[in-house]
Amino acid sequence: MIPVQGHEGQTIAVLGLGRSGLSTARALRAGGAQPVVWDDGQRGREAAEAEGFALRDLARPGALDGVALLVTSPGIPHLYPAPHPAIAAAYAAGVPVDNDIGLFFRSYATEDWGLFSAAPRVVAITGSNGKSTTSALLHHILTEAGRPAQLAGNIGRGVLDLDPASDGEVVVLELSSYQTELARALTPDVAVFTNLSPDHLDRHGGPGGYYAAKRRLFAEGGPDRAVIGVDEVEGRSLANQLSVGPADDRVIRVSSGTKLAGEGWNVFAKKGHLAEYRKGRQVASADLRGVAGLPGAHNHQNACAAWAAARALGLGPRQIEAALHSYPGLPHRSQRIAEEGGVAYVNDSKATNVDSAAKALAAFDRIRWICGGLEKEGGLEALAPHLGRVAKAYVIGREAEHFALQLTGVEVEVCTTMERAVDRAMAEAQPGETVLLAPAAASFDQYDSFERRGEDFMAEVRLRLG
């Protein structure tokens, strides 16, 4: 646990008592603060009460009297589409609002660091797609290279559940836009921006607000090094804003599919080959085609971002390349679960938006595609260039018929349930094809998480394969 510093003896309110909320309350208490907590759900309140925390309905008049800080969980809106009533009350009362990420960055460093031979460092990774894989991959690279490392944030443990820092340790944080948009302190040593595509637009008031939430990690934090994916205009703009000139190697530009020229520090992958350039000259390379845990161009972009961050931390190219080949991949992200009769089965349930599903489709040649769910804003037009790879689509979800109508130019079967979709796809799959779950939609119409959806897919496949 990371005890929260700077609030000894103060009353601190905690709103939302899921994983991060309860962790925050414990860390506040460990640091000498007096937390009062609330969750709109009874289960969260009961869990907190069982640990001895004082409950207080933070939206009631006067509930924030004497409160020095309100700490809110990431999923609770603080601006769009409308602030939670407790947060609106904090604004009116002048009570500062923060989240666990802000508390972490203010509390991680301690006096003990003066005894370390090498200061601990923090790498924070954000973006629309690929941030989980990039975070887990970087953690794997560091561990394989013998560097002490911890993984937390939007993946793994909550940030305040981390162990106190050790000598030379690296903390790798995956941060969502929900986490970066509100944290009052953001001071990573290395910050990574993978890419940007439309997502969570209702929460951020549109694409500009979504980009602004991601950009805060760099604008507020002032990292020593910034790794920026430049395959979209937002990344190119961000890299330009952070750099003082073409040769500024504090910015490492990353791309998948484009050779990056110039005098700066560039890492890119093209046709399965990764190349690192500095000052206009190639200094390292790696063949990604045989890396089983990172299939497809989108994962090659993740490999480039993790490579760049690892190099910024001082690791050597051969150390990184060896670790790439031993990376097992993350569950529900291009996860190869079986192969039988020449047919491969891949679980990419994390492909919850159109952009990530398009990248999943681009990774395979002939696909039996299981898709559908709770549609997000923007429609499915961005999938059109990749539908030529699809032998047939099997659509699930409560709105399967509406989803299917948007898939023009490809054979479609409305299945509604995962059971029927897997049954039909496996019955029709031919050698050389891939049965791919890449929904291009959220899971909440049928499942409580993308993980449960992926687990259902895997269970149905394994049931039939025996």
Side-chain angles (χ1 to χ4, degrees):
M1 179 187 296
I2 307 294
V4 173
Q5 300 182 44
H7 295 289
E8 295 85 351
Q10 295 180 346
T11 299
I12 308 298
V14 178
L15 177 64
L17 298 171
R19 184 189 67 167
S20 68
L22 273 176
S23 172
T24 298
R26 296 183 194 113
L28 283 163
R29 185 163 61 185
Q34 299 172 4
V36 294
V37 304
W38 186 256
D39 192 289
D40 291 337
Q42 183 176 350
R43 181 178 299 179
R45 297 196 297 270
E46 290 174 350
E49 199 167 27
E51 294 192 31
F53 291 110
L55 297 178
R56 184 186 298 181
D57 185 346
L58 299 173
R60 294 184 64 181
L64 296 176
D65 291 350
V67 169
L69 178 73
L70 172 63
V71 183
T72 182
S73 294
I76 299 174
H78 69 95
L79 185 57
Y80 301 114
H84 184 279
I87 297 176
Y91 292 161
V95 175
V97 179
D98 204 350
N99 62 16
D100 61 332
I101 304 301
L103 296 181
F104 166 81
F105 276 111
R106 292 204 304 275
S107 304
Y108 184 53
T110 66
E111 293 180 356
D112 294 341
W113 286 28
L115 303 175
F116 294 158
S117 59
R121 306 183 77 184
V122 177
V123 180
I125 298 169
T126 194
S128 296
N129 299 308
K131 57 185 180 291
S132 294
T133 295
T134 301
S135 301
L137 177 57
L138 177 59
H139 179 260
H140 175 78
I141 291 168
L142 291 163
T143 302
E144 291 292 294
R147 292 282 295 272
Q150 297 188 74
L151 178 65
N154 207 42
I155 186 174
R157 290 184 285 179
V159 291
L160 295 173
D161 278 333
L162 288 169
D163 299 326
S166 62
D167 197 343
E169 180 180 69
V170 179
V171 167
V172 181
L173 299 181
E174 179 198 338
L175 299 182
S176 71
S177 57
Y178 290 5
Q179 293 168 311
T180 59
E181 70 173 342
L182 189 59
R184 296 173 75 90
L186 285 168
T187 54
D189 299 283
V190 179
V192 180
F193 177 91
T194 58
N195 50 56
L196 198 81
S197 61
D199 209 356
H200 309 303
L201 300 187
D202 57 337
R203 168 65 180 262
H204 297 295
Y210 180 48
Y211 171 63
K214 301 288 189 184
R215 184 181 177 275
R216 287 193 76 245
L217 181 62
F218 303 86
E220 300 288 331
D224 297 333
R225 281 254 160 69
V227 176
I228 310 293
V230 294
D231 288 335
E232 295 86 27
V233 66
E234 292 88 356
R236 293 190 289 274
S237 174
L238 181 59
N240 183 271
Q241 291 173 356
L242 296 173
S243 175
V244 298
D248 185 356
D249 68 358
R250 293 174 302 171
V251 177
I252 309 176
R253 291 169 172 81
V254 167
S255 176
S256 175
T258 300
K259 180 178 179 179
L260 299 178
E263 292 298 309
W265 194 346
N266 301 311
V267 179
F268 60 88
K270 196 168 184 180
K271 297 182 179 179
H273 293 275
L274 180 149
E276 177 185 352
Y277 276 70
R278 297 190 73 172
K279 298 180 180 179
R281 298 178 60 186
Q282 183 170 324
V283 296
S285 64
D287 188 345
L288 302 177
R289 293 174 298 175
V291 180
L294 296 166
H298 63 303
N299 274 312
H300 293 172
Q301 183 191 52
N302 300 333
C304 289
W307 177 289
R311 292 286 279 145
L313 293 168
L315 272 65
R318 299 290 72 83
Q319 288 177 296
I320 302 171
E321 183 177 15
L324 292 178
H325 284 275
S326 62
Y327 176 65
L330 275 177
H332 314 297
R333 297 160 177 88
S334 298
Q335 180 186 10
R336 194 181 188 94
I337 60 171
E339 184 171 346
E340 186 170 291
V343 178
Y345 298 89
V346 177
N347 167 28
D348 203 338
S349 184
K350 184 60 170 67
T352 59
N353 59 41
V354 168
D355 184 67
S356 55
K359 290 174 179 176
L361 292 175
F364 305 98
D365 290 327
R366 189 159 175 82
I367 302 164
R368 300 282 169 176
W369 179 32
I370 298 176
C371 56
L374 189 62
E375 286 185 54
K376 296 186 176 181
E377 295 181 19
L380 306 180
E381 291 81 3
L383 293 170
H386 306 282
L387 295 182
R389 298 171 177 266
V390 176
K392 185 175 178 180
Y394 306 82
V395 186
I396 63 173
R398 294 178 185 173
E399 300 177 353
E401 291 188 8
H402 180 263
F403 195 100
L405 287 172
Q406 300 178 68
L407 300 177
T408 57
V410 64
E411 185 180 357
V412 178
E413 181 173 337
V414 174
C415 297
T416 307
T417 67
M418 184 70 73
E419 179 183 13
R420 177 163 178 79
V422 171
D423 189 64
R424 295 292 298 140
M426 292 183 71
E428 297 181 348
Q430 301 297 314
E433 295 182 340
T434 298
V435 175
L436 170 67
L437 171 66
S443 60
F444 302 120
D445 60 332
Q446 292 181 307
Y447 303 93
D448 59 10
S449 67
F450 72 82
E451 291 95 342
R452 279 292 304 122
R453 178 171 59 191
E455 289 162 4
D456 191 17
F457 170 72
M458 292 190 292
E460 294 291 345
V461 170
R462 288 167 178 161
L463 178 66
R464 287 160 179 76
L465 292 180

